[in-house]
Amino acid sequence: ILSAQSPYEIATGMLQQIDRLIAADRIGVVMFDFGSEEVIPLALKIGSIAQPGPLASIPLYEYPLQDSLWEGQFSHVDDLTMLSELERSPMTDRWGADGMRSYTIFPMLIQGRLIGALHLAQETPGPRSVEELSIARELTDQIAVAINQADLNARIQRHTAELEQRVAERTRELAEANTRLQELDRLKSKFVADVSHELRTPITNLSMYLHLLERTTAPRKRSQYAEVLNTQVTRLARLVEGILDVSRLDLSTRNRVAFSPVRLNLVVEQIASANRPRIETAGLTLDIDLMPELPDVWGEPNQLAQVVANLLNNAVNYTPAGQIILRTGYDERRGNVYLTVSDTGIGIEAEDLPHLFDRFYRGHQPEGLDIPGTGLGLGIVKEIVDLHQGTIVVESTPGSGSTFTVSLPLLGGRS
Ligand code: ADP
């Protein structure tokens, strides 16, 4: 049963009882705090009974802590003013100065542990009766038990409150996790819907042109249809490729891919040389400007290679003529490594900019151009950059070109 009484209230109640049963001009109930080395007054009778509440505590060394207390024995002196130098303490001096003569102190023990004391004083010197001493002793034991119980209760209550708070916190965390999962679930459903939608067009086209092909005998028409079929198959293949990339990324987000120090220049060089033939066939020039001794970034090499590949791929696709520049550098002020991919291509219209990194989003193209794509490339880039705690920005002037800048935190910047 939890009692709501504080140690102060318990001590005051006991002190009233003592006052009724024993003649004393002064009574004090105190607790010892050996941690902070203080004596905490719980209840005092100085003339009248007072519950001190948070009264100023007394330093432990000012207190008469006789050896007998530790052994569970009370001690009594007939006259405080007759104490030897060794027996005196600032407290006995104070009580003596206040006119007290006879003085008795009883230890409060819990399983042999000294937790406090009761002391009594009289203005008249002399011994206490055996009867009084045994009553005082009995009451002191009771106070000790009650205070100990109150202390225990307070600790249980504190512990319960802590537990309740932890449960509340955990509940809140779970609710948040649930919201996140619901959001993920919603995104997943949207992705599936988007994928089905995107797949439907090439498949419809395929069956339509197959149908036409079957029904046509004119060789010129037939080869025209075959060409359309070819284009649609390529588009379908590209879509499936992109969708696989996206789901691989989803998996790695969930499984926390292993990061390691990555030499970004090396990644850029590999992707550049793999794409050079295609770029030159398209009549474009590729310039590479890599900062020597670029610090390593903290990342996953295959994912970073995909970022470079997708950006370069777009630069090639959306640049009818001119130049592509791959550049790396180190921004000392921001403490990150960056990669820029610039082109002299068609550029991006302002209204496309906010959606560029959305899955399946495709921007407007100038009249007459029909550049194939899936709208997945930049979405994948953005997700990888986010996984690396980096940023991506794009600057573009429609008609004259675009620059994508990816910034990645340094090796030391990992969290
Ligand atoms: P995709 O290129 O397959 O359409 P992306 O996600 O890679 O898909 O790009 C989304 C859109 O951003 C493209 O449709 C295009 O409009 C625009 N875009 C991306 N890169 C460039 C670029 N280098 N120059 C011009 N437009 C670009």
Side-chain angles (χ1 to χ4, degrees):
I1 302 148
L2 300 186
S3 119
Q5 274 195 316
S6 73
Y8 294 109
E9 290 163 335
I10 292 166
T12 308
M14 289 290 185
L15 194 131
Q16 280 161 347
Q17 242 176 304
I18 293 166
D19 194 39
R20 249 180 276 124
L21 298 167
I22 297 168
D25 295 313
R26 198 172 268 207
I27 314 174
V29 180
V30 299
M31 246 168 95
F32 302 137
D33 184 340
F34 293 105
S36 63
E37 304 202 341
E38 283 173 331
V39 178
I40 302 151
L42 293 183
L44 292 174
K45 175 193 166 183
I46 301 178
S48 64
I49 293 177
Q51 178 185 313
L55 229 179
S57 23
I58 307 156
L60 204 55
Y61 63 81
E62 285 196 6
Y63 206 78
L65 273 180
Q66 291 92 337
D67 290 346
S68 57
L69 282 188
W70 296 97
E71 284 146 25
Q73 301 302 317
F74 76 92
S75 75
H76 176 84
V77 287
D78 285 347
D79 193 340
L80 274 180
T81 57
M82 307 293 277
L83 284 181
S84 73
E85 200 57 47
L86 265 178
E87 290 167 316
R88 285 173 52 191
S89 70
M91 198 205 124
T92 54
D93 282 356
R94 260 200 307 274
W95 282 30
D98 287 349
M100 298 302 132
R101 288 293 175 267
S102 103
Y103 174 80
T104 326
I105 179 164
F106 297 87
M108 273 160 47
L109 290 159
I110 289 294
Q111 288 163 350
R113 192 165 46 89
L114 185 65
I115 65 161
L118 163 80
H119 35 134
L120 310 166
Q122 282 279 70
E123 285 169 1
T124 46
R128 288 254 175 210
S129 72
V130 175
E131 176 73 11
E132 276 187 327
L133 289 175
S134 87
I135 289 173
R137 223 187 145 142
E138 183 63 37
L139 287 172
T140 313
D141 288 348
Q142 285 181 24
I143 303 178
V145 170
I147 285 178
N148 190 53
Q149 187 63 45
D151 194 42
L152 200 68
N153 290 346
R155 273 206 304 233
I156 289 173
Q157 271 163 9
R158 240 179 293 135
H159 188 68
T160 311
E162 252 170 51
L163 272 182
E164 275 167 4
Q165 199 191 333
R166 277 225 291 279
V167 169
E169 257 168 45
R170 192 82 191 99
T171 308
R172 194 172 39 72
E173 279 169 15
L174 285 174
E176 274 169 17
N178 193 31
T179 314
R180 275 200 302 277
L181 283 176
Q182 279 173 355
E183 171 64 8
L184 277 181
D185 195 44
R186 197 186 61 75
L187 288 176
K188 187 110 277 172
S189 308
K190 181 178 180 309
F191 181 64
V192 170
D194 288 347
V195 166
S196 324
H197 177 79
E198 292 295 321
L199 290 176
R200 191 170 293 143
T201 317
I203 290 171
T204 310
N205 286 342
L206 281 178
S207 50
M208 189 174 83
Y209 279 93
L210 266 179
H211 186 76
L212 286 172
L213 195 64
E214 276 167 3
R215 253 139 254 263
T216 313
T217 44
R220 263 200 39 226
K221 280 275 172 209
R222 283 183 68 91
S223 71
Q224 193 190 326
Y225 295 154
E227 208 185 303
V228 176
L229 282 171
N230 215 340
T231 317
Q232 293 301 323
V233 167
T234 311
R235 175 163 157 65
L236 203 54
R238 226 186 256 131
L239 253 177
V240 170
E241 209 50 57
I243 290 163
L244 282 177
D245 283 344
V246 170
S247 61
R248 260 198 295 273
L249 247 188
D250 275 359
L251 266 183
S252 70
T253 324
R254 229 168 296 133
N255 296 342
R256 297 250 160 262
V257 287
F259 278 20
S260 60
V262 179
R263 292 169 66 184
L264 191 60
N265 282 349
L266 215 66
V267 174
V268 174
E269 272 166 357
Q270 281 164 356
I271 300 297
S273 52
N275 283 276
R276 198 175 276 285
R278 178 165 85 97
I279 295 170
E280 282 166 2
T281 309
L284 302 169
T285 53
L286 175 63
D287 287 323
I288 303 179
D289 175 15
L290 305 181
M291 184 190 210
E293 284 165 48
L294 190 71
D296 286 351
V297 295
W298 183 242
E300 205 288 311
N302 293 322
Q303 291 190 349
L304 292 177
Q306 186 159 33
V307 167
V308 183
N310 287 10
L311 291 177
L312 183 58
N313 186 43
N314 281 352
V316 178
N317 285 345
Y318 297 101
T319 306
Q323 184 193 23
I324 295 168
I325 308 172
L326 293 177
R327 190 173 277 130
T328 60
Y330 169 48
D331 185 336
E332 201 164 352
R333 199 168 51 82
R334 293 209 171 85
N336 59 32
V337 162
Y338 61 86
L339 160 77
T340 65
V341 181
S342 313
D343 63 56
T344 57
I346 62 171
I348 300 160
E349 287 177 27
E351 60 185 272
D352 288 330
L353 285 174
H355 311 288
L356 232 48
F357 298 101
D358 295 351
R359 282 176 183 172
F360 296 113
Y361 185 83
R362 303 215 61 212
H364 297 84
Q365 294 180 13
E367 204 68 53
L369 280 183
D370 187 13
I371 301 165
T374 60
L376 285 171
L378 285 183
I380 292 170
V381 166
K382 175 79 165 81
E383 276 176 55
I384 294 176
V385 170
D386 284 348
L387 270 180
H388 285 73
Q389 296 177 13
T391 57
I392 180 164
V393 291
V394 51
E395 288 161 90
S396 182
T397 313
S400 59
S402 314
T403 298
F404 287 82
T405 304
V406 174
S407 302
L408 297 166
L410 281 189
L411 199 46
R414 69 182 120 151
S415 47

